[in-house]
Amino acid sequence: MSANPLGPLARKLMKGVIVVELLGVFGAYALFHKMNNSQEFRNTMNNKFPSVLEVYYQSNEWAGVYGIREQDHEAWSAKRD
């Protein structure tokens, strides 16, 4: 019987997929952590990537954390005046 030549290739591809997924998870966590701790960073995200900030607000609201969006809008409008 001959050895299966796709075995090592499939294993390498699977390892690569797992590494990419882990990098994505850790990157998403790092982004969430930075947005969670810095109102100024959320303002930057609001200016550059408002859809990402909206996902942040919605995920907090789904988790039962309310008022962050309102606090941000109050602080940002006070800075403009």
Side-chain angles (χ1 to χ4, degrees):
M1 298 199 150
S2 64
N4 186 356
L6 292 180
L9 177 62
R11 198 167 296 152
K12 285 182 182 179
L13 286 174
M14 192 60 174
K15 284 181 183 178
V17 167
I18 290 172
V19 167
V20 169
E21 285 184 5
L22 286 173
L23 288 173
V25 167
F26 287 123
Y29 175 76
L31 180 65
F32 176 83
H33 183 70
K34 188 158 184 170
M35 283 196 293
N36 206 34
N37 291 325
S38 173
Q39 189 176 53
E40 191 60 37
F41 184 69
R42 287 194 301 269
N43 190 21
T44 302
M45 293 301 288
N46 185 43
N47 293 331
K48 293 184 179 181
F49 305 105
S51 60
V52 174
L53 184 63
E54 183 62 28
V55 169
Y56 167 77
Y57 287 143
Q58 287 180 356
S59 67
N60 275 312
E61 290 167 358
W62 290 334
V65 179
Y66 298 98
I68 297 174
R69 182 191 314 255
E70 292 77 15
Q71 290 172 357
D72 286 349
H73 288 298
E74 287 176 15
W76 299 336
S77 64
K79 277 187 177 180
R80 290 182 192 142
D81 295 337

